[in-house]
Amino acid sequence: MVQLRKYPFLILLLIYLGIQVELDASDHRYSEGDVVPFYANKIGPISNSWEIYAYYELPYCSQDDVKEKKLNLGEMLNGDHLVSTPYKLEFLVDKDFEVLCNKTLRSRKDITEDKEVDVSFTYSVKWTVTQQSVDRRMEKYIGSAFLPHHITIHHHSVTFSSVILLILIISLLTFYLLVLREDISKNSVDVEEDQVISNQEEIGWKNVHGDVFRFPQHKSLFAAALGVGSQLFILIIAILALGLLGFFQPYIRGVVWNALIIVYALTSLDTSVSFYCQLEGTNWMKNLILTGGLYLGPLFLTFTFLDIVAIFYGSTTALPLRAIVMLSLSWIFIASPLLLIGSIIGKTRMSEFQAPCKTAKIPREVPPLLRWYKGVLPQMALAGILPFSVINIQLYYIFESVWGHSIYILYSIMSIVFFLLLIMTALVSVALTYFQLAVEDHQWWWRSFLCGGSTGLYIYVYCIYYYFKRSEMNGFMQISFYFGYMACVCFGIFLVLGSTNSLAYSTYVDDKIHHLIKERTFLRSQFPGSDVIIAPFLSSSC
C-alpha cells in the first residue's frame, strides 16, 4: 500500500481508462438459435446530424420493460442512447414479415387527411454466409463512403498542394539568395577601406538588431497562447498517429471522443510558464490561470450554452450527469495537476532567454507605414491564403463526416495535408518576417502569431459558406451547435498555427541576426579602424 502512494496519478489514470472498457455483444460467439441482442440508438432529421433524439420519441414498437445500455464517455459525448427493442433475432433463423406490433398512428400531412390509420410493424431476417472476417465486417460500408472518384480527388488535392509548396519554396530561395548574395558581395571584393565602410551602411533589417528581441507587450497572454497552441499541436499529432495505427474503427462508438479527452488531459503539462519566466515575467500564477482558461474557458461557456439548448429541445446530445462528473474528474485529477506540475517545473528549471545579441536600452521608434498593405490586417489576410488553399478540398470531406453522415478514414491523407499546412505556414511566415524587418518594424512577436493563426479565420469563413451552400442544416439548435463548436475548433487551429508561426519567426530572426554578427566580425577583422565609424550601429554590443 505504501508503494501505491507513490503513483497516485497513474492509478487514477488506470481507473479512468478501466471504466471506459466494457463487454460488448459484438465480442460474443453464438450458436444456432441463440438470441442476438438488438439495440436501437437515436433518430433525427437527415439534414441535421446533431439534432438527435431518443429512439422512442417516435411511436415505434416497444417492450414493456425497455432497458438502456450503459454507455462510455465517448458514446455519451456522441449523443448515443442505446435502448432495447422487441425485435427477436435468433442466430441463423430466418424470418419473413414477422409481425412486431399493431399501432394506430396519425401523419398530419399524409394523404389520409389527418385520419387515424392502423399500421402493422413487421420485420424480416435473412442470414447469409460470408467470407469476410469479423474484424473486417465494416469494410463494405466504409468503402462505400469513399468511392474511387473521391480517392482521386484527394490525390489531386495533395498533388496540387505539393506543387504550390514547391513553387513557394523555389520563389523564396531565389529571393533570399539574391538578397544574401548582395550582402556577401559587399565583403568579397578587394576595395579600399573607406569604400567598404560606406558599403556597410546599415539599412533595413540591420537597423533593428538592437530591438528585434525586445520582449512583446502582454507577455503573459503571449506565453499562454504559445503554451496552449503547443498542447493542441501535440493533441493533433497524437490523434493523427492513432488514426494511422487503426485505432478509430467506425463500428466502435465514441472512440474518437475518448481519445480526445484522454490525450488532452495527458498533454496538459504546461510549458507556458517557462517561456513566461524567460520573458522576465514575475506573476507566474497569473500566467498559469490564464493558460488553463485561454482555451478551456471559451470551450466551457460554449458547451454550457449548447447543453442548455439541447436540454430545451429534449435532444440526446445533452450530456447526462454521469458524463459531466467523468469530465470533471478527468480535469480535476489529471489535467489540473499536470498543468500545475508543468508550471512548477518550468519555473524552477527555467533557462535564460538566449538571444544572439543584447537589446538596446532605448527602444527604436517604428517608422510610420508608407503602404497600407504592410499593416497587420492586410498581412493577416495575405498570410492565410496559401495555407488555406492546401486544406480547402479536405475540409469538405471532413465537414461531411462531422456534420453529415459520411465516414472519414483517410488519416494518411489528412496527415500529409496537415504536414503541408505547417510547412506552408512557416514559409509564408519567413517571407512576411523579412518584409516587416525590412521596413525597420521590430514588433514581430504578436504579428507573427496573428499571421500564422489567420488560417483559422479562413476556415471559419469556409464554415459559413458550407452552411449556406453545401448543407441543408436548419433550425436554431443545429445553427447553435454548428457555429458554436466550429468557433471553438477554429480558435484551436488559430492557436496551433499561431504558435507554429511564432516559432518559425523566432528561428528566422535568430538566423538573420547571426548572419549580421558574422558580417560585422568579418568587417572588424579586415578593417580594425572601422570600429569608430560603425560604433553607432553596434550599441547593442553584438
Side-chain angles (χ1 to χ4, degrees):
M1 192 68 180
V2 176
Q3 295 296 327
L4 292 178
R5 294 177 181 173
K6 296 182 179 179
Y7 309 99
F9 297 112
L10 178 60
I11 295 173
L12 289 172
L13 175 61
L14 293 177
I15 294 175
Y16 177 82
L17 295 176
I19 61 179
Q20 305 297 317
V21 180
E22 58 179 288
L23 292 176
D24 191 84
S26 61
D27 300 326
H28 297 170
R29 294 183 179 273
Y30 300 93
S31 301
E32 184 175 354
D34 289 348
V35 177
V36 179
F38 189 87
Y39 291 91
N41 194 350
K42 51 194 177 184
I43 57 174
I46 192 171
S47 60
N48 292 355
S49 62
W50 282 83
E51 186 180 350
I52 49 182
Y53 304 94
Y55 177 75
Y56 287 117
E57 287 290 321
L58 293 182
Y60 293 122
C61 299
S62 62
Q63 299 170 315
D64 294 333
D65 182 21
V66 176
K67 297 180 180 179
E68 295 185 3
K69 189 176 181 182
K70 186 178 180 180
L71 305 176
N72 59 41
L73 179 58
E75 291 173 322
M76 289 184 283
L77 289 171
N78 204 39
D80 292 334
H81 187 75
L82 297 176
V83 292
S84 61
T85 63
Y87 297 97
K88 190 176 182 181
L89 302 183
E90 298 171 320
F91 190 61
L92 297 181
V93 176
D94 295 341
K95 295 183 179 181
D96 293 321
F97 298 102
E98 186 86 6
V99 177
L100 192 62
C101 70
N102 297 307
K103 278 183 172 288
T104 300
L105 301 180
R106 180 187 301 175
S107 301
R108 287 174 299 176
K109 295 183 179 180
D110 198 36
I111 58 174
T112 56
E113 297 180 356
D114 202 20
K115 295 181 180 179
E116 293 182 347
V117 179
D118 294 329
V119 177
S120 295
F121 285 83
T122 62
Y123 69 101
S124 300
V125 180
K126 182 69 175 179
W127 297 90
T128 57
V129 179
T130 179
Q131 301 299 322
Q132 196 89 323
S133 60
V134 175
D135 58 338
R136 303 181 64 182
R137 61 189 181 276
M138 292 295 292
E139 286 190 358
K140 60 182 302 185
Y141 305 104
I142 296 173
S144 63
F146 286 98
L147 300 177
H149 71 278
H150 288 164
I151 300 295
T152 302
I153 292 175
H154 284 281
H155 291 165
H156 286 169
S157 69
V158 173
T159 303
F160 174 75
S161 302
S162 301
V163 170
I164 292 180
L165 182 62
L166 181 62
I167 294 175
L168 181 61
I169 291 176
I170 295 176
S171 302
L172 289 178
L173 286 178
T174 303
F175 175 76
Y176 284 113
L177 284 176
L178 292 175
V179 173
L180 294 178
R181 186 174 63 178
E182 181 180 355
D183 288 339
I184 296 174
S185 64
K186 295 178 181 180
N187 295 325
S188 60
V189 295
D190 186 15
V191 293
E192 297 296 333
E193 177 179 345
D194 56 349
Q195 184 177 350
V196 173
I197 296 173
S198 62
N199 286 340
Q200 293 296 327
E201 182 181 356
E202 304 291 342
I203 58 173
W205 60 269
K206 299 179 183 179
N207 270 336
V208 297
H209 60 270
D211 298 276
V212 73
F213 288 106
R214 190 177 302 280
F215 296 147
Q217 295 180 339
H218 312 294
K219 60 183 68 174
S220 181
L221 179 61
F222 186 78
L226 285 184
V228 175
S230 301
Q231 179 190 1
L232 296 178
F233 173 77
I234 297 174
L235 174 64
I236 294 175
I237 295 298
I239 294 299
L240 290 177
L242 291 175
L244 290 173
L245 294 175
F247 280 86
F248 302 144
Q249 297 299 330
Y251 53 84
I252 304 178
R253 294 180 301 273
V255 63
V256 178
W257 284 110
N258 283 333
L260 283 171
I261 297 299
I262 295 173
V263 175
Y264 183 85
L266 294 178
T267 56
S268 298
L269 200 66
D270 180 38
T271 58
S272 64
V273 170
S274 176
F275 186 68
Y276 174 68
C277 294
Q278 286 184 337
L279 297 179
E280 298 180 356
T282 56
N283 194 346
W284 69 275
M285 185 58 69
K286 175 184 175 181
N287 178 255
L288 171 64
I289 298 174
L290 185 60
T291 302
L294 183 61
Y295 186 71
L296 278 185
L299 183 62
F300 174 76
L301 294 177
T302 303
F303 165 77
T304 302
F305 171 75
L306 295 181
D307 205 52
I308 294 174
V309 172
I311 293 174
F312 177 79
Y313 276 82
S315 173
T316 59
T317 50
L319 284 188
L321 180 62
R322 176 168 167 261
I324 296 176
V325 171
M326 294 172 66
L327 286 174
S328 302
L329 290 177
S330 66
W331 184 80
I332 294 173
F333 292 105
I334 300 178
S336 295
L338 288 177
L339 183 67
L340 180 60
I341 292 173
S343 300
I344 294 175
I345 295 176
K347 178 180 179 297
T348 55
R349 299 187 177 182
M350 180 269 303
S351 58
E352 294 185 0
F353 186 80
Q354 299 294 333
C357 61
K358 294 181 180 180
T359 302
K361 295 182 180 179
I362 302 177
R364 185 182 183 87
E365 183 179 357
V366 178
L369 292 176
L370 301 179
R371 299 291 186 269
W372 64 269
Y373 53 82
K374 294 183 180 181
V376 177
L377 293 180
Q379 284 203 354
M380 286 180 62
L382 178 64
I385 292 178
L386 287 180
F388 178 76
S389 67
V390 174
I391 61 174
N392 65 333
I393 297 178
Q394 301 299 323
L395 284 178
Y396 170 76
Y397 293 97
I398 295 175
F399 277 45
E400 284 291 302
S401 176
V402 176
W403 300 104
H405 301 280
S406 301
I407 300 175
Y408 194 93
I409 58 171
L410 300 179
Y411 291 98
S412 58
I413 299 293
M414 189 186 298
S415 302
I416 295 173
V417 170
F418 182 69
F419 180 69
L420 294 176
L421 173 64
L422 294 178
I423 297 179
M424 188 74 73
T425 303
L427 290 178
V428 173
S429 303
V430 169
L432 293 179
T433 301
Y434 180 83
F435 294 141
Q436 181 178 359
L437 297 180
V439 295
E440 302 182 11
D441 184 357
H442 55 81
Q443 299 174 350
W444 58 272
W445 296 86
W446 272 112
R447 184 178 294 193
S448 68
F449 197 96
L450 295 175
C451 288
S454 62
T455 305
L457 302 180
Y458 274 88
I459 295 177
Y460 200 73
V461 172
Y462 180 84
C463 294
I464 301 174
Y465 164 79
Y466 179 87
Y467 179 83
F468 289 104
K469 297 297 184 180
R470 295 294 185 93
S471 74
E472 297 179 358
M473 293 183 282
N474 57 78
F476 178 75
M477 178 180 175
Q478 187 67 31
I479 291 175
S480 302
F481 270 73
Y482 178 78
F483 287 105
Y485 279 132
M486 285 311 303
C488 294
V489 171
C490 293
F491 180 50
I493 295 175
F494 177 87
L495 294 174
V496 170
L497 296 182
S499 59
T500 303
N501 203 34
S502 295
L503 293 176
Y505 263 74
S506 60
T507 302
Y508 170 73
V509 172
D510 186 77
D511 289 341
K512 293 295 284 184
I513 295 300
H514 275 296
H515 172 73
L516 178 61
I517 294 173
K518 292 180 180 179
E519 179 181 300
R520 289 177 171 170
T521 302
F522 173 82
L523 180 63
R524 286 174 173 176
S525 63
Q526 297 296 321
F527 307 99
S530 63
D531 285 344
V532 177
I533 298 178
I534 66 173
F537 304 106
L538 298 176
S539 59
S540 60
S541 301
C542 284

